[in-house]
Amino acid sequence: MQLSDNARGAVYMMVAMAAFTLNDTAMKALTQEVPLFQTIAMRGGLTLLGLIGLAIALGQWKPRLPRRDAVMIGIRCAAEVVSTVLFLAALVQMPLANLSAIMQALPLAVTLAAALIFKETIGWRRMTAILIGFAGVLIIIRPGPDGFDIWSLMGLGSVAFVLVRDLAARSVSRAVPSVMIAVWASAAVTGVAALASLGTGWVALTPGQGVLVAAAAVALVIGYLFSVMVMRVGDISFVAPFRYTALIWAIVLGWLAFGTLPDPLTLFGAGLVVATGIFTLWRERKVRARLT
């Protein structure tokens, strides 16, 4: 059966989210026994090779950058480094599904930041949805002596720096291919992790750990590949809500790999985040259609 462009875009988005979550699962398993920066550096080296090969295969290997784009990509790379370290440091200590639920607040944060920074208009409906979604995040992290800890704060910090990363990407010209942006980001993360690992030391890997490193790198490249393909197929406003399938993958893989499941309150908070995120995307699509 021939799939429509929107259906193919939805499938690509779900594959990308599954791949990214598989990468997170492998990294969480690795960092239980292997130093964090060593893990990031090893995965990053393999991922960088894969992305360079992908850029060449797509005919988009363009390492030279216009000066203005170089500045914005530099900002994006710095944000990528910080967000990666914060995310993986939190992932070592937090259940996979809980951290994934916090990260699902990103689309809401992007919409709010676009209104504040780029002066994009958002109505009271979307603003209300954003506030309810952030309330869902508070339910997940539960501020207070019983539920809140430094790892939840790191998860929120990762969201903040991913937001900076995505806003910087908006200012990069279309002359720079998406895969090259990923190449530069991967190079930055790998280089910083390699330098930081000199202070924490390296350990010899078992064959099983070597397989996990390779699996994480392959999953990350697949995730990048399909996330690029998503942008070229179908209506992004239709496809974007399928990014929330990452939370389903996180719950399933967290249970299968680590035997952890989110509690009912966490699931309720995650449900608020996902529901308001989907509503915000739907409302934005409707408003744009009316304006058009």
Side-chain angles (χ1 to χ4, degrees), residues 26 75 124 128 147 291:
I75 294 172
W124 67 269
T128 301
L291 292 175

Side-chain angles (χ1 to χ4, degrees), residues 37 54 88 96 109 183:
F37 288 112
L54 178 61
L88 291 176
L96 179 60
V183 166

Side-chain angles (χ1 to χ4, degrees), residues 19 22-23 26-27 30 38-48 50 205-222:
L22 283 168
N23 160 71
M27 291 296 285
L30 276 167
Q38 177 187 347
T39 306
I40 298 174
M42 290 188 302
R43 181 197 66 173
L46 293 176
T47 301
L48 183 58
L205 298 183
T206 65
Q209 290 168 339
V211 170
L212 283 176
V213 172
V218 169
L220 199 54
V221 172
I222 291 173

